[in-house]
Amino acid sequence: MCGIWAVFGSNGCLSGHLVNAMKVAHRGPDAFRIENINGFTNCCFGFHRLAIMDQLHGMQPLRIMQFPYLWLCYNGEIYNHLLLRKQFGFDHQTEMDGEILLHLYDRFGAKKMASLLDGVFAFILLDTANKRVCVGRDTFGVRPLFRCLTDDGFLGVCSEAKGLTKLSSLEASASVAPFPPGHVEVFDLKPDGKVESIQMEAFHLCTQEPAHAAYDSVPALPSGFDEETVKSNIRILFENAVRKRLMAQRRIACLLSGGLDSSLVSATLMKLAKEEKLQYPLQTFSIGSEDSPDLLAARKVAAHIGSEHHEMNFSIQEGIQAVKDVIYHLETYDITTIRASVPMFLISKYIREKSDSVVIFSGEGSDELTQGYIYFHKAPDPAAAAAESVRLMEELYMFDVLRSDRTTAAHGLELRVPFLDHRFTAYYLSLPEAMRVPKNGVEKFLLRDSFSGLNLLPDGILWRRKEAFSDGLTSLKKSWYTWLQEHVESLVSDDQLEKARHTYPHNPPPTKEAYYFRQIFEEFFPNQAKWLPHYWMPKWLKATDPSARTLPFYEPEKVE
């Protein structure tokens, strides 16, 4: 996890732009470098490093003697870099996983290079020999990336939009937008440092088996859709997804809410940590307040798997005070994203201050992949449910993945999400539509059933009903979102809400809570509302709030 930033062909003073590069310093607290490219007018890289691999040679822009004309800034982890190195006989100069990008680019070009990478990444690659700039982002956008491109050829690229928004006022006609996940863009580099986009192309879709599947430690799986084969394949691929993410030279830990997803990740991680003989106890971290059902469930999981468990007591006042900082780091005004981000922001701060764990596993992506949201019970048919699952996966970078990256990165932690492993997601989405829908009144039935009878988790956790993170961390008597709504009641007037459609014509706030969030967003990022195309809301019913607890068929379960 790092912060990357670059500008090409700036009309202004580069030293003035460097202030913007410092706005993502939280993503890389270990080291910082700014580097100008000799011979290329107004081309500059900025890099904030969180050292996870090769502490000696890991600074960027990454260059090696074999390719002196290639300059690479990337943020991510490439889990199959050793397999690719062996497969193609590459002679590596460093232990950095990112060095594989230089070799693959030289051999195959930008698109095939990106398609062979098993991992999460955002990169900026400068090829001074062929006068090219290449930009790319992983399939689900687990690593963030924004770009601004002007009519006259100025290009700015950064991990977070805040590193570019001020540039747009210095460079004519610049607009800042998220770089699309699963794509690479190639630019022609002009003598004056300006660029021209000559290729924007998708290299992978979540419904396709990735090209890098041929270079994976797990060989081809048994075919067929009989139940036992499918469940065995799910277990094999999920365990492989967790195992490959153990690649780190910093301490590993796991967020544990007590829900199915984080519990499966924690339990599998603990199992593999023992097999790999990690030299430290695995830590799990939970956050909650009062009689939070999540805290109770997390304690039960931690006791079952034997992790070194830590809890943070969450006060409503702490949460309310954190909202402004959270919106600044998120760069969104989406209602449910902000609600859920506050506790994740606070527990990340706790981890950074109270432990030496840096690589943090989490359960994001499972609900979208395995139809885990409660509203999937209302899907009209399996085909509609399958289509909705794909839509949610394609939009993860605007919602849950955005939340998990920004809240951890705000405190210099690196997030790892096994449920978004490319082979695992492609396999799950290839299964017959009828196999993936809720069954017997239980969402994610197939995933749960795949791990049933193994004693990996207590049955009460394995079959626990879905509870949104922002709901489960507070008492069943009063949800976190209710506290928030009560807090903003006097801060937004009825008149302001009534005029919301005129004040904010794009995605007008439907409630006072949403209006309050939008006000803060506009304070930090004026006129950037289109970064969010729509609010996250349940489908197939007349929902007025994203919280699962507001749905008429919601039934909380007690953790025994």
Side-chain angles (χ1 to χ4, degrees):
M1 197 283 298
C2 301
I4 60 176
W5 176 92
V7 293
F8 301 90
S10 171
N11 292 324
C13 174
L14 276 179
S15 61
H17 289 335
L18 300 189
V19 175
N20 297 288
M22 297 307 297
K23 292 179 181 177
V24 293
H26 51 274
R27 299 189 66 89
D30 294 335
F32 171 64
R33 176 186 287 173
I34 283 284
E35 191 156 352
N36 192 219
I37 313 302
N38 290 335
F40 289 85
T41 305
N42 293 336
C43 296
C44 187
F45 284 101
F47 179 68
H48 299 273
R49 186 184 186 207
L50 178 66
I52 302 295
M53 300 292 292
D54 198 339
Q55 310 248 347
L56 182 61
H57 299 104
M59 273 306 288
Q60 299 182 35
L62 180 62
R63 302 179 70 203
I64 59 175
M65 294 180 66
Q66 188 175 347
F67 309 119
Y69 48 87
L70 297 183
W71 305 65
L72 174 69
C73 258
Y74 80 102
N75 164 212
E77 300 292 335
I78 311 303
Y79 304 122
N80 65 340
H81 71 109
L82 293 177
L83 290 169
L84 291 172
R85 176 179 172 178
K86 181 179 179 181
Q87 173 70 29
F88 297 111
F90 295 141
D91 183 18
H92 277 224
Q93 183 177 317
T94 75
E95 294 180 13
M96 289 296 295
D97 54 300
E99 185 182 333
I100 195 69
L101 274 74
L102 300 176
H103 295 274
L104 291 173
Y105 172 80
D106 180 74
R107 178 81 60 92
F108 300 115
K111 182 183 176 183
K112 187 170 181 180
M113 171 196 75
S115 71
L116 292 175
L117 301 176
D118 181 7
V120 294
F121 54 86
F123 67 82
I124 312 158
L125 190 151
L126 171 63
D127 178 350
T128 60
N130 295 292
K131 308 298 189 294
R132 292 285 187 268
V133 176
C134 306
V135 180
R137 189 179 182 190
D138 67 70
T139 302
F140 298 110
V142 174
R143 290 294 177 260
L145 196 66
F146 285 79
R147 77 161 172 86
C148 64
L149 180 65
T150 68
D151 295 338
D152 71 345
F154 164 81
L155 173 67
V157 185
C158 189
S159 294
E160 298 180 12
K162 59 180 64 68
L164 300 175
T165 50
K166 294 298 182 182
L167 296 180
S168 62
S169 64
L170 298 173
E171 307 291 342
S173 69
S175 61
V176 179
F179 190 87
H183 284 70
V184 290
E185 186 169 16
V186 179
F187 300 87
D188 182 36
L189 181 64
K190 310 296 183 182
D192 63 355
K194 302 288 187 181
V195 303
E196 179 185 359
S197 179
I198 57 175
Q199 177 187 353
M200 168 73 92
E201 197 170 358
F203 63 84
H204 182 227
L205 300 174
C206 65
T207 52
Q208 299 173 346
E209 182 173 77
H212 60 67
Y215 312 109
D216 195 281
S217 55
V218 171
L221 296 169
S223 59
F225 296 126
D226 64 279
E227 194 170 286
E228 291 308 312
T229 296
V230 167
K231 290 193 294 186
S232 173
N233 288 345
I234 286 173
R235 290 192 298 271
I236 290 169
L237 287 176
F238 182 70
E239 186 169 304
N240 182 48
V242 176
R243 178 181 283 108
K244 69 179 68 168
R245 284 163 175 78
L246 290 172
M247 182 185 83
Q249 294 172 357
R250 302 289 287 274
R251 185 169 183 170
I252 292 170
C254 194
L255 296 178
L256 177 58
S257 72
L260 172 67
D261 309 326
S262 65
S263 298
L264 272 178
V265 173
S266 297
T268 305
L269 186 56
M270 175 60 83
K271 173 176 179 273
L272 296 177
K274 292 175 181 176
E275 292 178 10
E276 300 291 331
K277 295 181 171 58
L278 290 190
Q279 298 302 303
Y280 50 82
L282 181 71
Q283 295 179 324
T284 50
F285 294 90
S286 300
I287 183 171
S289 66
E290 299 182 24
D291 55 341
S292 156
D294 277 1
L295 275 188
L296 299 175
R299 286 175 198 161
K300 189 172 183 178
V301 174
H304 184 84
I305 67 176
S307 64
E308 180 188 299
H309 191 55
H310 300 261
E311 291 182 356
M312 178 188 174
N313 291 318
F314 163 80
S315 76
I316 298 303
Q317 192 57 38
E318 279 180 301
I320 289 171
Q321 289 174 348
V323 167
K324 194 166 185 177
D325 285 342
V326 165
I327 293 174
Y328 173 75
H329 282 284
L330 291 179
E331 301 175 335
T332 189
Y333 52 92
D334 180 64
I335 304 164
T336 191
T337 303
I338 294 169
R339 287 177 184 172
S341 292
V342 168
M344 199 163 181
F345 180 85
L346 292 174
I347 192 63
S348 296
K349 183 174 185 286
Y350 177 91
I351 293 170
R352 188 67 185 182
E353 293 176 349
K354 305 293 185 182
S355 81
D356 59 350
S357 290
V358 176
V359 177
I360 310 299
F361 280 64
S362 189
E364 270 72 33
S366 175
D367 286 321
E368 291 78 6
L369 176 66
T370 65
Q371 303 184 18
Y373 292 113
I374 293 177
Y375 73 84
F376 272 95
H377 290 287
K378 297 298 183 181
D381 53 60
E388 173 68 354
S389 183
V390 171
R391 182 187 74 83
L392 290 172
M393 296 291 285
E394 292 174 343
E395 294 187 349
L396 268 167
Y397 75 102
M398 296 185 290
F399 299 107
D400 275 18
V401 155
L402 181 148
R403 164 178 56 81
S404 54
D405 171 84
R406 303 303 182 80
T407 54
T408 50
H411 302 288
L413 304 177
E414 176 172 296
L415 178 80
R416 296 196 177 173
V417 280
F419 276 108
L420 294 180
D421 181 81
H422 299 158
R423 283 193 72 190
F424 182 70
T425 56
Y427 178 75
Y428 206 98
L429 293 173
S430 75
L431 297 174
E433 294 166 348
M435 289 189 81
R436 293 182 272 146
V437 297
K439 186 177 179 182
N440 301 334
V442 179
E443 63 282 345
K444 292 189 274 198
F445 184 89
L446 177 59
L447 179 66
R448 299 174 194 272
D449 200 34
S450 296
F451 290 92
S452 183
L454 304 178
N455 197 35
L456 190 67
L457 290 172
D459 280 350
I461 299 297
L462 186 63
W463 296 96
R464 184 186 175 204
R465 290 291 306 273
K466 167 69 180 170
E467 179 76 272
F469 181 40
S470 59
D471 292 333
L473 66 97
T474 49
S475 169
L476 289 171
K477 301 169 189 172
K478 192 170 184 178
S479 292
W480 161 231
Y481 77 88
T482 306
W483 287 103
L484 267 174
Q485 290 172 347
E486 289 180 358
H487 172 71
V488 305
E489 177 63 32
S490 61
L491 300 178
V492 177
S493 69
D494 293 339
D495 184 58
Q496 284 176 305
L497 185 59
E498 188 176 328
K499 296 176 180 177
R501 291 189 173 275
H502 300 287
T503 309
Y504 303 118
H506 179 77
N507 285 338
T511 64
K512 288 187 176 182
E513 179 193 15
Y515 195 102
Y516 176 70
F517 294 159
R518 183 65 170 271
Q519 282 181 312
I520 297 172
F521 174 85
E522 293 289 342
E523 177 185 338
F524 289 128
F525 311 107
N527 305 314
Q528 302 293 349
K530 290 187 178 178
W531 290 343
L532 180 70
H534 59 84
Y535 290 108
W536 193 100
M537 282 286 178
K539 201 172 181 179
W540 302 308
L541 40 82
K542 294 180 180 180
T544 57
D545 190 282
S547 171
R549 288 188 179 181
T550 65
L551 300 181
F553 52 94
Y554 169 77
E555 294 180 8
E557 285 190 346
K558 293 183 179 179
V559 179
E560 301 295 339

